[in-house]
Amino acid sequence: MPAALELIALPAFTDNYIWMLHDGVQALVVDPGEAAPVLDALQARGLRLAAILVTHHHGDHIGGVAGLRAVLEGQVFAPPHALNPQPCEAVQNGQVLTLLGQRFEVLGTPGHTADHVSYLLKQASEAPLLFCGDTLFSAGCGRVFDGSLAQLHASLERLAALPDQTRICCAHEYTLSNLRFARTIEPANEALARHEAWCEARRAGQDPTLPALLATELLINPFLRCREPAVKSAVQARLASEPCAVNGDADEPLAVFSALRLWKNEFR
Protein backbone atom coordinates (compact mmCIF):
# COMPACT_ATOMS: atom_id res chain seq x y z
CA MET A 1 0.00 0.00 0.00
CA PRO A 2 1.24 3.56 -0.71
CA ALA A 3 2.45 5.46 2.33
CA ALA A 4 0.04 7.94 3.89
CA LEU A 5 0.64 11.46 2.68
CA GLU A 6 0.85 14.64 4.74
CA LEU A 7 -0.60 17.83 3.27
CA ILE A 8 1.06 21.15 4.13
CA ALA A 9 0.11 24.70 3.11
CA LEU A 10 3.29 26.75 2.66
CA PRO A 11 2.56 30.50 2.78
CA ALA A 12 4.07 32.59 -0.01
CA PHE A 13 3.92 36.26 -0.99
CA THR A 14 1.04 38.04 0.78
CA ASP A 15 -1.78 35.53 0.40
CA ASN A 16 -0.60 32.57 -1.73
CA TYR A 17 -0.30 28.97 -0.63
CA ILE A 18 2.11 26.50 -2.16
CA TRP A 19 0.69 23.06 -1.43
CA MET A 20 3.11 20.30 -0.47
CA LEU A 21 2.35 16.60 -0.22
CA HIS A 22 4.93 14.20 1.18
CA ASP A 23 5.29 10.62 2.38
CA GLY A 24 8.14 11.27 4.78
CA VAL A 25 10.76 10.71 2.09
CA GLN A 26 9.61 12.37 -1.12
CA ALA A 27 7.47 15.43 -1.75
CA LEU A 28 5.65 17.17 -4.53
CA VAL A 29 4.54 20.79 -4.61
CA VAL A 30 1.77 22.59 -6.47
CA ASP A 31 2.18 26.08 -7.96
CA PRO A 32 5.48 27.16 -6.37
CA GLY A 33 5.40 30.90 -6.95
CA GLU A 34 8.48 31.21 -4.71
CA ALA A 35 11.31 28.75 -4.21
CA ALA A 36 12.36 29.71 -0.67
CA PRO A 37 9.32 28.35 1.24
CA VAL A 38 9.67 25.01 -0.56
CA LEU A 39 13.42 24.76 -0.02
CA ASP A 40 12.98 25.57 3.67
CA ALA A 41 10.25 22.93 4.08
CA LEU A 42 12.28 20.28 2.25
CA GLN A 43 15.32 20.93 4.43
CA ALA A 44 13.37 21.09 7.68
CA ARG A 45 11.71 17.73 7.00
CA GLY A 46 14.57 15.98 5.21
CA LEU A 47 12.55 15.47 2.04
CA ARG A 48 13.49 15.00 -1.62
CA LEU A 49 11.48 16.90 -4.25
CA ALA A 50 9.94 14.38 -6.63
CA ALA A 51 7.66 16.55 -8.79
CA ILE A 52 6.15 19.98 -9.37
CA LEU A 53 2.55 20.41 -10.51
CA VAL A 54 1.52 23.66 -12.19
CA THR A 55 -2.10 24.69 -12.72
CA HIS A 56 -1.49 27.72 -14.96
CA HIS A 57 1.16 30.12 -16.17
CA HIS A 58 0.76 33.18 -13.93
CA GLY A 59 3.95 34.32 -12.26
CA ASP A 60 2.78 33.81 -8.68
CA HIS A 61 2.31 30.12 -9.54
CA ILE A 62 5.48 29.40 -11.53
CA GLY A 63 8.01 31.99 -10.31
CA GLY A 64 9.82 29.54 -8.01
CA VAL A 65 10.24 26.69 -10.47
CA ALA A 66 13.64 27.81 -11.75
CA GLY A 67 14.94 28.06 -8.20
CA LEU A 68 13.82 24.50 -7.45
CA ARG A 69 15.38 22.83 -10.49
CA ALA A 70 18.64 22.10 -8.65
CA VAL A 71 16.86 19.92 -6.08
CA LEU A 72 14.11 18.51 -8.32
CA GLU A 73 14.53 14.77 -8.91
CA GLY A 74 11.51 14.38 -11.19
CA GLN A 75 9.54 16.47 -13.64
CA VAL A 76 7.53 19.65 -13.85
CA PHE A 77 3.98 18.99 -15.05
CA ALA A 78 2.03 21.88 -16.56
CA PRO A 79 -0.61 22.64 -19.18
CA PRO A 80 0.79 23.44 -22.63
CA HIS A 81 1.40 27.19 -22.63
CA ALA A 82 4.36 29.14 -23.96
CA LEU A 83 4.89 30.94 -20.63
CA ASN A 84 5.11 27.78 -18.54
CA PRO A 85 8.65 26.96 -17.38
CA GLN A 86 10.61 24.70 -19.69
CA PRO A 87 11.46 21.89 -19.73
CA CYS A 88 8.15 20.48 -18.52
CA GLU A 89 5.80 17.66 -19.37
CA ALA A 90 2.57 18.98 -20.86
CA VAL A 91 -0.60 17.61 -19.29
CA GLN A 92 -4.16 17.55 -20.53
CA ASN A 93 -7.66 16.77 -19.34
CA GLY A 94 -8.16 13.10 -18.47
CA GLN A 95 -4.50 12.27 -18.08
CA VAL A 96 -3.45 10.34 -14.97
CA LEU A 97 -0.10 10.94 -13.27
CA THR A 98 1.38 8.41 -10.85
CA LEU A 99 3.33 10.32 -8.19
CA LEU A 100 4.29 9.38 -4.62
CA GLY A 101 2.58 6.06 -5.25
CA GLN A 102 -0.75 7.78 -5.91
CA ARG A 103 -2.83 8.55 -8.99
CA PHE A 104 -3.51 12.20 -9.80
CA GLU A 105 -6.18 12.90 -12.40
CA VAL A 106 -5.74 15.99 -14.55
CA LEU A 107 -8.96 17.98 -14.90
CA GLY A 108 -9.30 20.67 -17.55
CA THR A 109 -10.66 23.71 -15.68
CA PRO A 110 -10.34 26.68 -18.07
CA GLY A 111 -11.78 30.11 -17.42
CA HIS A 112 -9.33 31.97 -15.19
CA THR A 113 -6.93 31.20 -18.03
CA ALA A 114 -7.73 29.28 -21.19
CA ASP A 115 -5.20 26.57 -20.30
CA HIS A 116 -5.91 26.13 -16.57
CA VAL A 117 -5.91 22.60 -15.17
CA SER A 118 -6.59 21.12 -11.73
CA TYR A 119 -5.25 17.94 -10.14
CA LEU A 120 -7.50 15.49 -8.29
CA LEU A 121 -6.12 12.91 -5.88
CA LYS A 122 -8.57 10.18 -4.89
CA GLN A 123 -7.25 8.21 -1.93
CA ALA A 124 -8.61 4.88 -0.75
CA SER A 125 -9.05 5.80 2.91
CA GLU A 126 -8.94 9.61 2.79
CA ALA A 127 -11.12 12.35 1.35
CA PRO A 128 -10.19 13.42 -2.19
CA LEU A 129 -7.81 16.35 -2.56
CA LEU A 130 -8.39 18.92 -5.30
CA PHE A 131 -5.57 21.26 -6.28
CA CYS A 132 -7.49 23.85 -8.26
CA GLY A 133 -5.16 26.84 -8.50
CA ASP A 134 -7.21 29.97 -9.18
CA THR A 135 -10.38 28.33 -10.55
CA LEU A 136 -12.29 27.81 -7.30
CA PHE A 137 -11.65 29.65 -4.04
CA SER A 138 -13.40 29.21 -0.72
CA ALA A 139 -16.59 31.30 -1.05
CA GLY A 140 -15.42 32.58 -4.42
CA CYS A 141 -13.77 31.89 -7.76
CA GLY A 142 -11.03 33.34 -9.92
CA ARG A 143 -11.24 36.30 -12.23
CA VAL A 144 -11.34 35.72 -15.96
CA PHE A 145 -8.10 36.63 -17.74
CA ASP A 146 -7.59 34.90 -21.10
CA GLY A 147 -10.39 32.38 -20.64
CA SER A 148 -14.11 33.12 -20.73
CA LEU A 149 -17.00 33.38 -18.29
CA ALA A 150 -18.69 30.42 -19.97
CA GLN A 151 -15.54 28.32 -19.54
CA LEU A 152 -15.18 29.26 -15.89
CA HIS A 153 -18.84 28.52 -15.16
CA ALA A 154 -18.53 25.09 -16.82
CA SER A 155 -15.35 24.37 -14.84
CA LEU A 156 -17.04 25.25 -11.55
CA GLU A 157 -20.02 23.07 -12.44
CA ARG A 158 -17.60 20.21 -13.02
CA LEU A 159 -15.87 20.73 -9.67
CA ALA A 160 -19.19 21.10 -7.85
CA ALA A 161 -20.09 17.57 -8.98
CA LEU A 162 -17.11 16.01 -7.18
CA PRO A 163 -17.74 14.09 -3.93
CA ASP A 164 -18.95 16.33 -1.09
CA GLN A 165 -15.99 15.38 1.10
CA THR A 166 -13.47 16.67 -1.44
CA ARG A 167 -10.94 19.00 0.20
CA ILE A 168 -10.30 22.07 -1.94
CA CYS A 169 -6.68 23.19 -1.99
CA CYS A 170 -6.83 26.52 -3.79
CA ALA A 171 -3.91 28.87 -4.18
CA HIS A 172 -4.96 31.98 -2.23
CA GLU A 173 -6.17 32.97 1.23
CA TYR A 174 -9.06 35.07 -0.08
CA THR A 175 -11.73 33.51 2.10
CA LEU A 176 -12.74 36.40 4.37
CA SER A 177 -12.89 38.85 1.48
CA ASN A 178 -14.97 36.38 -0.51
CA LEU A 179 -17.31 35.83 2.44
CA ARG A 180 -18.00 39.55 2.67
CA PHE A 181 -19.18 39.49 -0.93
CA ALA A 182 -21.17 36.30 -0.34
CA ARG A 183 -23.01 37.96 2.56
CA THR A 184 -24.03 40.75 0.18
CA ILE A 185 -25.65 38.10 -2.03
CA GLU A 186 -27.24 35.98 0.72
CA PRO A 187 -27.47 37.99 3.97
CA ALA A 188 -29.88 35.44 5.50
CA ASN A 189 -27.68 32.41 4.80
CA GLU A 190 -27.01 30.93 8.28
CA ALA A 191 -24.40 28.45 7.03
CA LEU A 192 -22.48 31.38 5.59
CA ALA A 193 -22.60 33.29 8.88
CA ARG A 194 -21.36 30.25 10.83
CA HIS A 195 -18.54 29.64 8.40
CA GLU A 196 -17.48 33.28 8.46
CA ALA A 197 -17.20 33.17 12.25
CA TRP A 198 -15.08 30.01 12.03
CA CYS A 199 -12.83 31.57 9.37
CA GLU A 200 -12.38 34.76 11.39
CA ALA A 201 -11.21 32.69 14.35
CA ARG A 202 -8.80 30.76 12.13
CA ARG A 203 -7.27 33.92 10.70
CA ALA A 204 -7.07 35.56 14.13
CA GLY A 205 -4.82 32.66 15.09
CA GLN A 206 -2.88 33.04 11.81
CA ASP A 207 -4.16 29.65 10.64
CA PRO A 208 -5.30 28.89 7.08
CA THR A 209 -8.99 28.65 6.26
CA LEU A 210 -7.99 25.99 3.72
CA PRO A 211 -8.39 23.33 2.55
CA ALA A 212 -12.09 24.02 2.19
CA LEU A 213 -14.70 21.28 2.18
CA LEU A 214 -16.79 21.04 -0.98
CA ALA A 215 -19.93 20.23 1.03
CA THR A 216 -19.51 23.56 2.83
CA GLU A 217 -18.82 25.44 -0.39
CA LEU A 218 -22.08 24.18 -1.86
CA LEU A 219 -23.86 25.92 1.05
CA ILE A 220 -21.95 29.22 1.06
CA ASN A 221 -20.25 29.92 -2.26
CA PRO A 222 -22.50 32.06 -4.48
CA PHE A 223 -20.62 31.01 -7.60
CA LEU A 224 -21.67 27.39 -6.94
CA ARG A 225 -25.23 28.44 -6.05
CA CYS A 226 -26.39 30.12 -9.25
CA ARG A 227 -29.60 28.06 -9.25
CA GLU A 228 -30.59 29.11 -5.72
CA PRO A 229 -33.58 31.51 -5.59
CA ALA A 230 -31.84 33.89 -3.15
CA VAL A 231 -28.79 34.18 -5.39
CA LYS A 232 -30.88 34.70 -8.52
CA SER A 233 -32.98 37.34 -6.78
CA ALA A 234 -29.89 39.26 -5.65
CA VAL A 235 -28.48 39.23 -9.17
CA GLN A 236 -31.76 40.29 -10.74
CA ALA A 237 -32.07 43.18 -8.29
CA ARG A 238 -28.52 44.24 -9.09
CA LEU A 239 -29.16 44.09 -12.83
CA ALA A 240 -32.33 46.15 -12.42
CA SER A 241 -30.41 48.95 -10.71
CA GLU A 242 -27.06 48.62 -12.50
CA PRO A 243 -27.43 46.83 -15.85
CA CYS A 244 -24.37 45.12 -17.27
CA ALA A 245 -23.67 43.13 -20.41
CA VAL A 246 -24.75 39.57 -19.60
CA ASN A 247 -25.63 37.05 -22.27
CA GLY A 248 -28.87 35.14 -21.83
CA ASP A 249 -31.88 35.28 -19.55
CA ALA A 250 -31.02 36.61 -16.07
CA ASP A 251 -32.69 33.49 -14.63
CA GLU A 252 -30.27 31.09 -16.32
CA PRO A 253 -27.27 29.79 -14.33
CA LEU A 254 -24.63 31.06 -16.77
CA ALA A 255 -26.16 34.55 -16.86
CA VAL A 256 -26.44 34.58 -13.06
CA PHE A 257 -22.83 33.45 -12.76
CA SER A 258 -21.61 36.03 -15.28
CA ALA A 259 -23.38 38.85 -13.47
CA LEU A 260 -21.96 37.65 -10.13
CA ARG A 261 -18.42 37.51 -11.47
CA LEU A 262 -18.69 41.01 -12.99
CA TRP A 263 -20.18 42.29 -9.73
CA LYS A 264 -17.36 40.74 -7.71
CA ASN A 265 -14.79 42.42 -9.98
CA GLU A 266 -15.99 45.78 -8.65
CA PHE A 267 -16.70 44.77 -5.05
CA ARG A 268 -14.66 46.46 -2.32
Side-chain angles (χ1 to χ4, degrees), residues 210-230:
L210 305 168
L213 185 65
L214 181 57
T216 301
E217 293 302 308
L218 294 173
L219 296 175
I220 67 164
N221 190 326
F223 297 99
L224 302 184
R225 294 171 57 78
C226 294
R227 292 176 174 81
E228 293 295 319

Side-chain angles (χ1 to χ4, degrees), residues 1-6 21-26 99-102 121 123 125-126:
M1 293 292 291
L5 300 181
E6 181 182 1
L21 273 174
H22 75 87
D23 61 8
V25 178
Q26 293 184 308
L99 302 166
L100 304 183
Q102 305 280 353
L121 170 59
Q123 305 173 87
S125 58
E126 301 285 342

Side-chain angles (χ1 to χ4, degrees), residues 45-151:
R45 294 168 174 82
L47 301 170
R48 307 198 313 268
L49 184 60
I52 297 173
L53 304 181
V54 172
T55 63
H56 66 293
H57 61 270
H58 287 167
D60 62 324
H61 294 253
I62 64 172
V65 172
L68 295 173
R69 294 277 189 189
V71 300
L72 178 62
E73 298 181 0
Q75 292 179 293
V76 178
F77 298 91
H81 191 281
L83 293 179
N84 273 324
Q86 300 298 326
C88 70
E89 180 171 324
V91 296
Q92 60 184 349
N93 179 59
Q95 188 173 348
V96 175
L97 310 176
T98 301
L99 302 166
L100 304 183
Q102 305 280 353
R103 290 165 55 86
F104 293 76
E105 182 181 353
V106 181
L107 306 179
T109 51
H112 177 67
T113 63
D115 65 306
H116 198 295
V117 299
S118 299
Y119 300 91
L120 179 66
L121 170 59
K122 295 179 179 177
Q123 305 173 87
S125 58
E126 301 285 342
L129 292 175
L130 175 69
F131 300 96
C132 55
D134 287 355
T135 295
L136 174 63
F137 297 130
S138 183
C141 70
R143 287 175 178 262
V144 170
F145 284 85
D146 56 32
S148 70
L149 288 166
Q151 285 180 323

